[in-house]
Structure formats: structure tokens, C-alpha cells
Amino acid sequence: MSDASKKSVLFSLASVAACGLVFSLAACDDSTSVGNDEPADSSSSVTAPVSSSAPESSSDPEACDKEGAIETREDGNAKYGFSYKYYRCETGAWTEKPASVLCDTAGVSKGGICRVQTHFAGSQFGKSSWTCYKYAGEGAWEETDCPAGPDKECNEENKGAREQLTLTNDAIFYECMGEKWAEMSMEDYYCATGKESVGDTCSFELSGKKYYFRYDSVDTDVGRWTEGTFDPELGFCTVRDDMYWKRPYAKKGEEYYYCAGTAWLPTSLVPRQYTDPRKEGLTDEEYDKLDLPKDAKVGDRADGLLEYCDFNRDMGNLESHVYDFCYSVNHYRYREDGSWTKETLDDKHEDEVNLDSLPCGGSTWCCAETEGMTQRTFYAFDQPERLYQCVSGEVVLVEYLWNRYEEKAAAE
């Protein structure tokens, strides 16, 4: 770990000009974007179609060397959805098979029903669909209609009743809507009460597997049960937590962990508000200003104590490595009334140099006459700011303005 970074990486003048705004380099020089805080829609199927083995590595995409292995391939895109195709390795080649290739006959009685997902709904169009098969005996499956619902009658008297239909490889969950049965998600079947509030948790066991869900806010008026993992000491971790601005950290024994997707991972980098004993009893705002200089002049800039940390980030700019790092959440300016207040967009704009005032032609700030000049990026809200310098007519990345970092393995 190092307290400073001097990563001098050449950044071509042509790419700077392409940005249009020289002093907003982060808007175009960073290949990483912030993820949407809305996970993909979940299906009601307990068993999603997955390969029973990893795809074979071969220069010939149809060649394989694990006889009997099964592979699932996606045909489509995230917007319109995916159709699934299934292949089995037979005599060294991938051979397309019906979806029933995923149905296991072990312990299945004749007439048993197996359901396999054959289409996954896109983010904007389409809907998920399944194909069902009935076991005919002697290893043979025959396509059949999927169950429309439980055998029980659905009417106004039992409206809201829930039923579970267990198949050979899956379970389907239903709710009586008053006239007919409608499929519902596994989490709603086990967890929904109609009185949920944000932060409620739910757990249950199904087919020998333990499931954990937490009720999270999707927008102002809507919530959703989100699947995650749970550790008695660390707490819940769901995909909705995996955002740099709200990622939870927790300590187990002598080691800290952070929530990454749906797993708690150990880390040596933790925002200092979690480890600094001075934070106890203070609000975030009070703590953030603790170390602001007492001896300052109007216009001075200083970083607050609160930090964000992020992990396994490819920083772009021809970098060949990824990093874990922590950087300051807020920046402050010293005002004429003797107070420190948070930096504003107007403050940042005032720091920018008018290109027309420079002798570089109005399209760049770097030329022979401005040799050695430095500029700082201002708008990289999801990563540290960067300091650039004009060196021999090229804009060079001098350093990332982060507080602490760890350089990881080379990016692929």
C-alpha cells in the first residue's frame, strides 16, 4: 500500500480534444460507469437454467472433450431477452438437444413433471417462458403442457391463498387472485405479508438450501424483496448494497469485510469513518470537518475526512492494472466569513482556465508555451480526482488524488 500515486501515463492530445471540455476529462476518459441501482427482474423459478459444466475451451466452438457435459447458451440480448439453447458433448462435438436434457431421471417416477426455462425476459420487452416435460420412463421425457395451477379451486372465498406445486427439479408458487391462480415469486410466497417495511428480513429453507431476503426500497412508493447472504456477525449483504456511496462494512474478529454483490469479502481498505475513534458520537458532517485547517486564506481548498472506497476498478487511460482505493467524499472551500463550506460547481468553474486566454489555439490547454502547466479533473464523482500536466505537448496523468490505494493484478 502507498500513500501517494505517481502513475505517469501518457494521455493523447487527440483524445483530450475529443472530449470537448478539457477540464472535464473524467466524463470521457473513464471507461467505468456507475451501475444502476435496480437489479434485473427475478423470475419465480427456483431453478434457473445453468450449465452443468463450464464451456469447453477450444479453437473450434463446436468441439468438446468432456463426454456427456451439458452447456447452456444464450441467444438474444438484455433488452429483448434471451432464448436458451442446450447442448451435450457427444463424441467430441457439441450437439444441440431439447431443453429436457437438463431433466434428471434419478429417483423420478413415471409421470413426473420437469420444467426448464427456455426464455428469459429482457429489461424492456418480452417475458420469461418455460417448457415442461413428463417422464415417460426408461430415460425418456415427453413435452407436455406446464401446470396451470394447483388442483384446488380458486374463488373469492380463498382469494389470497397461496399454494406450492413441487416438480421433479423445480417448484412453482401460486396465489389465488379470486378467479384463477397466478404465479408468484418464491420470495413473495414465503416473505410477503402486505405490511412490509424497508429493512425487514426474511429467511427460509427450500430443497436443502437456505435463502435470505431483505425488503429494499426501489423508489419512493415501491419496495421489493432482494436476495442476499447473511452472516450472524456481519449482517445482510444484497446486490442493492454494492454501490460505492452506500456499501456497508463490518468487522468480524480482527478483520474488516465489505459487501460485494451478495458476498462479504475481506479488505484491508476501509473508509476511515469506520475505524477512527473520533467518529464516535459525531454526525457525519461534524466528523467530516474535524481536520480542516485552522490557518487558511479565502479560496483555500481542503478535503473532508469522510471517505468512499471502491474495489477492483480499472481506471482506464491506458492503465494495465486495477485498484482498490479510498478517496474523500467532500471538498471544502474557505470563505470570506471565516468558515469552511462544501465546494460548489461555481467554485470548480472558477478554477478552470479559459482556453481562449491561453496561447494554444483555443482547443487545448497544452502546448509549448504552457509546458509544465497542471490541471485537475473535477467531475469524477464515482472515483478520485486526477492531476494532469502538460509535458512536451502531451497531457500526462501525474497522479490520482486518492487517499490510499492498493494496486491489484493486471486488468484483462
Side-chain angles (χ1 to χ4, degrees):
M1 184 186 299
S2 172
D3 292 325
S5 169
K6 299 295 181 183
K7 296 290 177 184
S8 298
V9 181
L10 287 178
F11 190 73
S12 73
L13 195 59
S15 63
V16 173
C19 284
L21 296 175
V22 174
F23 304 104
S24 300
L25 295 178
C28 64
D29 67 8
D30 182 40
S31 60
T32 306
S33 61
V34 181
N36 194 326
D37 195 12
E38 174 68 19
D41 189 24
S42 61
S43 74
S44 59
S45 174
V46 175
T47 307
V50 294
S51 303
S52 61
S53 65
E56 300 292 335
S57 298
S58 172
S59 57
D60 178 0
E62 299 306 317
C64 59
D65 57 15
K66 294 182 180 178
E67 190 71 15
I70 298 172
E71 179 178 291
T72 301
R73 299 180 187 177
E74 296 175 346
D75 181 17
N77 56 59
K79 181 176 182 180
Y80 290 93
F82 297 95
S83 291
Y84 294 107
K85 294 184 178 180
Y86 303 95
Y87 296 80
R88 184 165 58 199
C89 183
E90 296 179 348
T91 61
W94 287 111
T95 304
E96 187 171 358
K97 294 291 182 180
S100 60
V101 72
L102 291 186
C103 297
D104 191 356
T105 60
V108 177
S109 301
K110 191 173 181 179
I113 302 295
C114 170
R115 187 175 80 153
V116 180
Q117 190 169 6
T118 50
H119 188 83
F120 184 78
S123 60
Q124 298 184 31
F125 300 97
K127 63 180 181 178
S128 298
S129 59
W130 289 260
T131 300
C132 289
Y133 298 89
K134 179 185 290 187
Y135 188 53
E138 298 183 356
W141 292 92
E142 298 176 348
E143 189 170 335
T144 187
D145 292 334
C146 287
D151 292 333
K152 293 182 180 180
E153 184 179 355
C154 172
N155 51 44
E156 286 297 324
E157 292 183 1
N158 64 345
K159 184 177 180 179
R162 300 174 186 176
E163 292 290 336
Q164 175 181 336
L165 185 61
T166 302
L167 308 181
T168 63
N169 68 328
D170 197 358
I172 310 176
F173 305 94
Y174 298 92
E175 181 178 10
C176 176
M177 306 305 293
E179 296 181 356
K180 64 179 182 178
W181 294 99
E183 282 195 42
M184 65 188 308
S185 67
M186 169 182 67
E187 56 269 29
D188 282 339
Y189 177 84
Y190 282 101
C191 303
T193 64
K195 301 179 180 179
E196 296 90 344
S197 59
V198 173
D200 286 352
T201 60
C202 172
S203 63
F204 54 89
E205 187 171 320
L206 183 65
S207 300
K209 179 181 176 180
K210 189 79 170 182
Y211 291 88
Y212 297 94
F213 287 85
R214 187 183 66 202
Y215 196 73
D216 292 329
S217 175
V218 177
D219 56 40
T220 305
D221 301 314
V222 180
R224 176 180 294 172
W225 289 102
T226 307
E227 187 175 1
T229 55
F230 175 75
D231 183 282
E233 295 182 58
L234 301 176
F236 262 85
C237 172
T238 80
V239 68
R240 293 188 185 278
D241 296 321
D242 194 12
M243 308 292 173
Y244 69 93
W245 68 89
K246 64 175 184 179
R247 178 178 290 118
Y249 298 81
K251 192 174 184 181
K252 187 175 184 178
E254 297 301 316
E255 193 166 24
Y256 274 93
Y257 292 77
Y258 72 96
C259 176
T262 56
W264 286 102
L265 299 181
T267 179
S268 58
L269 287 180
V270 182
R272 54 187 158 211
Q273 58 266 31
Y274 284 86
T275 61
D276 189 342
R278 297 180 299 168
K279 177 64 171 69
E280 186 174 354
L282 297 180
T283 66
D284 283 352
E285 183 178 4
E286 291 169 339
Y287 174 73
D288 203 30
K289 294 182 175 181
L290 272 184
D291 287 351
L292 294 177
K294 304 292 189 246
D295 183 17
K297 63 181 184 296
V298 175
D300 281 355
R301 187 177 194 257
D303 297 335
L305 286 175
L306 294 174
E307 288 185 322
Y308 290 141
C309 293
D310 212 349
F311 303 90
N312 299 309
R313 287 289 298 271
D314 175 2
M315 301 301 290
N317 284 353
L318 307 183
E319 285 279 15
S320 59
H321 289 72
V322 296
Y323 300 89
D324 294 348
F325 54 81
C326 298
Y327 60 103
S328 297
V329 174
N330 299 309
H331 309 287
Y332 292 85
R333 299 293 180 109
Y334 193 70
R335 308 300 179 183
E336 292 183 355
D337 64 359
S339 67
W340 286 97
T341 63
K342 287 183 183 179
E343 186 174 65
T344 67
L345 283 176
D346 287 341
D347 292 327
K348 296 174 182 179
H349 288 316
E350 288 176 6
D351 286 350
E352 294 179 354
V353 176
N354 185 347
L355 293 181
D356 292 334
S357 69
L358 298 176
C360 300
S363 62
T364 180
W365 58 275
C366 181
C367 58
E369 291 83 353
T370 60
E371 179 73 13
M373 182 178 178
T374 60
Q375 285 295 314
R376 183 179 67 246
T377 60
F378 294 107
Y379 307 115
F381 62 91
D382 66 334
Q383 60 179 270
E385 296 177 340
R386 307 177 187 195
L387 183 67
Y388 293 91
Q389 186 173 32
C390 180
V391 179
S392 302
E394 295 284 346
V395 177
V396 174
L397 172 62
V398 178
E399 65 177 321
Y400 294 110
L401 301 178
W402 44 33
N403 300 331
R404 291 164 290 128
Y405 78 95
E406 292 180 355
E407 189 169 343
K408 313 290 282 194
E412 296 182 358

